[in-house]
Amino acid sequence: MTLVGGFVAQRTGDRRHLVLGFAAGLMLGVVAFDLLPEAMEQAPEKLHGVPEALLMFAAGFLLIHVVERAVAIHRGHEGEYAAHSHTHGHTHGPGHRHREQGVGLAAASALVLHSVMDGFAIGAAFQAGATVGAVVAVAVVAHDFADGFNTYTLTRLYGNNRRRALTLLAADAAAPIAGAAITLLFTIPEHLLGLYLGFFAGFLMYLATSDILPEAHSPHPSRTTLVCTLLGVGFMWLVVGLT
């Protein structure tokens, strides 16, 4: 299902703005209906009046914001240097492009790690009972389409080549199997898992709102792109509701 999601994203061609709109909707849906409720359930303890899961949500959002701003500031300085160098006959290096690609790789890698946790959830649920395991497995399989779609889209959005995107897609597809296998060796404390889910939710929320949605609407703001975003949110609501 992860691979299907990735190949659907790959085959969209010139409808890139619609793909990005849909991906943003999927990510918002995953954060609001899946990650945050689960994080709150597993890490409800409060620190100075605020649930720890929500503090981690803010931390995840701010960390990726700081990283992206650092890349943008460096890119701005390199742009000034390039203009100066052009005047004096120097060439401009590709360093800023590599850093931007790094943000895409970090985002896709975080999605792969999330898929490992999905597999872990399946394994842990089967340890609790066959029926619980089957329900969790169906839930994971249903939203693995979104994971594959987003992994490919994010990797390509930040300037990485198709081969790299497909490699990360393959890793994302294999990750739940690895996660399920890990449960045969040890279990991760529930509280720690809740903190991770909160952090990852903040990470995804930032990417969806500050990068993907603006990029989706930048070529030509369209109602169709907005509809795709709403469809993405609705799809995740349907998946979470059914499972």
Side-chain angles (χ1 to χ4, degrees):
M1 189 62 87
T2 303
L3 293 174
V4 168
F7 285 120
V8 167
Q10 184 188 345
R11 292 275 180 258
T12 48
D14 60 351
R15 299 186 185 87
R16 183 169 178 268
H17 58 294
L18 302 181
V19 172
L20 292 174
F22 187 66
L26 289 176
M27 290 167 79
L28 289 171
V30 167
V31 168
F33 310 142
D34 185 23
L35 295 177
L36 277 182
E38 197 173 336
M40 289 288 290
E41 193 177 309
Q42 296 187 0
E45 293 85 354
K46 292 185 177 181
L47 187 64
H48 199 61
V50 178
E52 291 178 359
L54 291 184
L55 288 172
M56 291 301 288
F57 172 77
F61 188 98
L62 291 171
L63 179 66
I64 188 65
H65 174 62
V66 168
V67 169
E68 273 219 327
R69 286 301 89 205
V71 170
I73 289 165
H74 202 103
R75 187 163 60 234
H77 289 329
E78 285 197 346
E80 291 165 16
Y81 175 76
H84 177 78
S85 299
H86 183 72
T87 309
H88 294 81
H90 299 304
T91 57
H92 176 223
H96 72 282
R97 189 175 74 248
H98 292 151
R99 276 182 290 277
E100 192 165 78
Q101 288 172 348
V103 172
L105 291 176
S109 298
L111 283 166
V112 172
L113 181 59
H114 179 236
S115 291
V116 171
M117 293 299 179
D118 280 346
F120 186 87
I122 293 173
F126 270 107
Q127 286 181 12
T131 308
V132 179
V135 169
V136 172
V138 169
V140 170
V141 168
H143 92 257
D144 272 351
F145 174 87
D147 280 353
F149 193 96
N150 289 336
T151 298
Y152 186 86
T153 304
L154 277 173
T155 311
R156 294 290 280 147
L157 174 65
Y158 288 96
N160 290 284
N161 61 32
R162 182 172 169 270
R163 184 179 176 183
R164 196 173 282 174
L166 289 175
T167 302
L168 279 160
L169 180 63
D172 196 30
I177 301 165
I182 287 170
T183 61
L184 301 174
L185 306 174
F186 61 90
T187 56
I188 297 174
E190 192 175 87
H191 181 253
L192 198 62
L193 200 56
L195 294 179
Y196 160 74
L197 290 172
F199 183 85
F200 183 62
F203 190 93
L204 277 192
M205 179 65 87
Y206 181 86
L207 292 177
T209 53
S210 75
D211 284 359
I212 296 183
L213 276 177
E215 182 74 17
H217 289 282
S218 63
H220 37 78
S222 75
R223 290 179 184 174
T224 320
T225 307
L226 180 59
V227 168
C228 284
T229 303
L230 294 174
L231 284 173
V233 174
F235 176 76
M236 285 313 303
W237 187 12
L238 183 68
V239 166
V240 172
L242 286 174
T243 53

